[in-house]
Amino acid sequence: MINPFKFGTIVEGEFFTDRVREVDYIQQFIESENHLVLISPRRFGKSSVVHKALINTSRQSITLNLQNVTSEADLAAKLLREIYKIHPFERVKQFVMRFRIIPSLSTNPVTGMIDLSFQPTENPTI
């Protein structure tokens, strides 16, 4: 028998189960700007339900897979890469100024991609 369930990625369409109540509930939290914590075992569809609720709203969002984050600098780099994709550079600049790390921004002239790297600061007040 073939397993009818798809797991390991965010599912949509025919693979998304009919979780109307859960999606509505999460969507209310997203629209009200309150915090929401979902707790359940792995592979129960938490990310897929939140993704579906986000699609139903007009709010921009950033999704990060934290499983491979190994340091504060790594988290900051991943977060800023995603922020840069949806916000103009001036807003990113203001956001970066609040980090407790020193960012280094460079562009690759061949690909046109932006590379962000970070160094932790010695001064915790920065």
Side-chain angles (χ1 to χ4, degrees), residues 76-95:
K78 288 179 185 296
L79 181 60
L80 286 176
R81 279 188 197 106
E82 294 302 313
I83 290 170
Y84 184 76
K85 288 179 184 177
I86 61 173
H87 291 293
F89 185 71
E90 279 303 310
R91 291 183 69 187
V92 172
K93 179 180 165 186
Q94 295 300 318
F95 187 73

Side-chain angles (χ1 to χ4, degrees), residues 19 38-47:
R19 295 171 130 182
L38 298 177
I39 300 173
S40 76
R42 293 185 70 223
R43 299 187 176 178
F44 270 48
K46 297 177 295 293
S47 296

Side-chain angles (χ1 to χ4, degrees), residues 7 14 20 22 36-37 49 62 71 83 96 102 112 120:
F7 55 88
E14 65 183 23
V20 175
E22 292 89 343
L36 173 67
V37 176
V49 171
I62 294 172
S71 67
I83 290 170
V96 169
I102 301 169

Side-chain angles (χ1 to χ4, degrees), residues 16 19-27 49 52-53 56:
F16 187 82
R19 295 171 130 182
V20 175
R21 284 188 335 184
E22 292 89 343
V23 171
D24 289 343
Y25 184 75
I26 292 169
Q27 189 174 335
V49 171
K52 178 79 168 176
N56 293 340

Side-chain angles (χ1 to χ4, degrees), residues 1-19:
M1 179 176 183
I2 297 174
N3 186 350
F5 301 104
K6 181 178 178 183
F7 55 88
T9 63
I10 293 177
V11 297
E12 298 178 297
E14 65 183 23
F15 293 105
F16 187 82
T17 59
D18 191 23
R19 295 171 130 182

